[in-house]
Amino acid sequence: MQATILCNGDMTDPIEVCTGVTHGCVIAPTLFSLFLAAILHIIENDLPLGVQLTCRTDGKLFNINHLKATMKTTTTSVEELQYADDTSVNSCTEEDLQTIVNAFTRAYNRLGLKLNASKTKVLYQPSPNTTPSPSSLTANGVLLENVDCFSYFGSFLSQTANIDAEVQHCISSASVAFGRLRQRVFDDHNIRKTTKIAVYKAVVIPTLLYGAETWVPYARHIKALEKFHQRCLRRPLGISWHDRRTNTSVLKEAHSQSIEAAITHHMLRWAGHVNRMSDDRLPKQVLYAQITHGKRSRGGQRKRYKYVIKRCLDYWNINTGSWEEASRDCSKCRTTIANGVQRLETRRTAKLEEKRTRRKERLEQRGTTNQPYTHHLNYPHCHRVCRSRIGLISHLRTHQS
């Protein structure tokens, strides 16, 4: 399965003909939305099928096999996604994508709009084990630029169809937000620590976890985010690495939760919100659907968003069969998720403490076992003791130099 995505910023430039006002005036948002809806009505018959989805919204979100039925399933297609003057056009083939771009271009030119080709980018997402090839799409005779990553409403779409680039972008953005407040807030000794932590939770955390409710995170992503989270928390608390404080103790002192718990909280709340939508809403259709054409290859597969949701529910001992019905009640769903996050945090803290205890026991046993030859690991210059021979040799070289 190949997916070609065209992302465009500022699809429409100065509006003059439709409003009857002077060039460059700002159009009202409501009238602007109606105008774009009229454009979609004009080109409705000229648009080819985009990304086709097989959907079934009668429950059983985590049962993929029920989508193979032919009687109760519906087929929908996603050709374009618009928000204000930004448009994302989607297609599975380059020929269909060029047809869609041409249709939009003709409609814009007909109504006095101009497509900004310099801000229009092409992002090609090939199927796994396929070498990406640049496309040759044009708009108004201008060759569109091919990119590996594209920022669309704060989220980073990548050619590899994973969140590696987005996680790094979120960490960079959160680091910038933290740095701007560092001198005035986090390093100011006249401000209480509770106030600093509150500012951090209100400014940095939302920047760090922007769009996290739609992520499919792996362990490497959680580890990178937790590392940044710990580094930022230790600054306003005045904790340095010399204090040898554990991560769990830092979270407890800051009255904060881990990044893993926060991401899980966002994901389940978003999944419950989508489940409460009507069946004709696109987010719910996408959640309860799979791509019609194409199949997964053999071997290890990439995780699905549904799999991540199901794993979280199983980890919290929530019945996946009755979860959809239970999420219909918004207040009950929020209470269940909050209790689940608390259990997740408690279980995670106990697991880390147990792991730390086992590691200390291994180090103590190793020191007892190596007792007969510990005199070989003593540093003759600074009287330090190394736990390995390679450490002793490396330290001796520093003294020789």
Side-chain angles (χ1 to χ4, degrees):
M1 175 62 188
Q2 296 183 352
T4 309
I5 301 178
L6 170 68
C7 296
N8 181 22
D10 286 344
M11 188 64 133
T12 53
D13 266 348
I15 298 176
E16 184 177 7
V17 176
C18 67
T19 59
V21 296
T22 57
H23 181 80
C25 290
V26 179
I27 191 171
T30 303
L31 184 59
F32 189 82
S33 300
L34 294 176
F35 190 78
L36 291 181
I39 292 178
L40 294 178
H41 181 71
I42 292 174
I43 65 176
E44 181 178 3
N45 297 327
D46 299 333
L47 295 180
L49 293 178
V51 180
Q52 293 186 355
L53 303 175
T54 301
C55 178
R56 184 175 177 179
T57 59
D58 58 347
K60 299 180 180 180
L61 171 63
F62 307 109
N63 186 5
I64 306 297
N65 293 325
H66 84 298
L67 292 173
K68 297 180 181 180
T70 57
M71 298 297 294
K72 297 183 179 180
T73 58
T74 59
T75 302
T76 182
S77 61
V78 181
E79 298 91 5
E80 53 80 28
L81 302 171
Q82 288 195 359
Y83 182 82
D85 60 343
D86 292 322
T87 302
S88 171
V89 183
N90 310 275
S91 179
C92 295
T93 62
E94 184 176 348
E95 292 77 13
D96 290 345
L97 189 59
Q98 183 65 67
T99 303
I100 298 175
V101 174
N102 293 336
F104 271 97
T105 303
R106 289 193 301 267
Y108 286 143
N109 294 336
R110 176 182 174 184
L111 298 178
L113 301 181
K114 181 181 178 182
L115 188 145
N116 195 335
S118 62
K119 294 184 179 180
T120 303
K121 312 295 180 183
V122 179
L123 178 62
Y124 174 61
Q125 293 180 335
S127 58
N129 302 323
T130 302
T131 303
S133 58
S135 63
S136 56
L137 296 174
T138 59
N140 287 328
V142 180
L143 182 64
L144 301 180
E145 180 184 357
N146 292 267
V147 295
D148 298 334
C149 297
F150 190 84
S151 178
Y152 190 64
F153 295 118
S155 297
F156 251 61
L157 305 177
S158 64
Q159 195 175 56
T160 56
N162 55 33
I163 63 171
D164 291 345
E166 186 168 2
V167 168
Q168 293 300 324
H169 173 71
C170 289
I171 292 177
S172 300
S173 301
S175 180
V176 172
F178 185 87
R180 291 179 178 178
L181 297 173
R182 180 175 175 179
Q183 183 177 0
R184 293 291 186 92
V185 179
F186 301 124
D187 289 347
D188 192 346
H189 297 286
N190 296 323
I191 301 178
R192 293 182 296 180
K193 294 181 179 180
T194 55
T195 305
K196 296 179 182 179
I197 297 298
V199 172
Y200 169 75
K201 292 180 179 179
V203 178
V204 182
I205 289 295
T207 306
L208 181 65
L209 300 181
Y210 180 80
E213 57 271 7
T214 59
W215 287 356
V216 182
Y218 284 78
R220 63 180 185 273
H221 304 134
I222 300 295
K223 185 177 180 180
L225 293 170
E226 291 284 5
K227 183 179 179 180
F228 176 82
H229 183 47
Q230 286 289 329
R231 185 168 66 249
C232 291
L233 281 179
R234 290 168 186 259
R235 187 76 186 186
L237 295 177
I239 300 174
S240 65
W241 66 275
H242 296 282
D243 299 328
R244 302 181 67 85
R245 295 281 300 276
T246 61
N247 294 340
T248 55
S249 64
V250 174
L251 292 175
K252 184 177 181 180
E253 181 177 349
H255 300 285
S256 178
Q257 61 182 358
S258 63
I259 293 297
E260 182 180 4
I263 292 178
T264 305
H265 191 187
H266 292 345
M267 291 178 62
L268 290 183
R269 287 193 61 180
W270 170 248
H273 174 68
V274 174
N275 184 51
R276 289 188 294 270
M277 291 182 179
S278 58
D279 293 343
D280 59 342
R281 295 284 300 275
L282 183 60
K284 186 170 184 178
Q285 292 178 356
V286 173
L287 180 62
Y288 281 82
Q290 68 176 3
I291 298 178
T292 303
H293 302 291
K295 61 180 181 179
R296 305 188 113 189
S297 59
R298 294 182 179 180
Q301 304 292 332
R302 295 180 180 178
K303 291 193 297 185
R304 299 174 185 259
Y305 182 77
K306 299 178 183 179
Y307 168 77
V308 179
I309 297 295
K310 185 176 183 298
R311 186 187 61 179
C312 296
L313 295 176
D314 291 339
Y315 195 72
W316 291 359
N317 296 326
I318 299 177
N319 188 3
T320 56
S322 60
W323 170 79
E324 296 175 66
E325 186 65 27
S327 63
R328 298 291 182 181
D329 188 350
C330 184
S331 59
K332 184 178 179 180
C333 180
R334 290 186 177 184
T335 303
T336 303
I337 293 174
N339 295 335
V341 169
Q342 186 176 2
R343 291 195 299 269
L344 171 64
E345 198 67 17
T346 302
R347 190 179 304 178
R348 179 179 176 275
T349 302
K351 185 177 180 180
L352 290 176
E353 292 294 340
E354 182 182 358
K355 182 178 179 181
R356 182 169 177 266
T357 302
R358 290 199 305 266
R359 184 173 65 252
K360 293 181 67 174
E361 292 177 354
R362 287 197 302 267
L363 292 177
E364 292 177 358
Q365 294 176 1
R366 187 181 303 174
T368 304
T369 306
N370 298 338
Q371 188 67 28
Y373 53 90
T374 52
H375 61 279
H376 296 293
L377 303 181
N378 292 332
Y379 293 122
H381 302 281
C382 54
H383 303 289
R384 295 177 59 185
V385 178
C386 182
R387 298 185 182 276
S388 62
R389 189 176 298 276
I390 187 64
L392 173 63
I393 296 174
S394 177
H395 193 71
L396 287 177
R397 288 178 181 175
T398 59
H399 284 286
Q400 291 176 359
S401 61

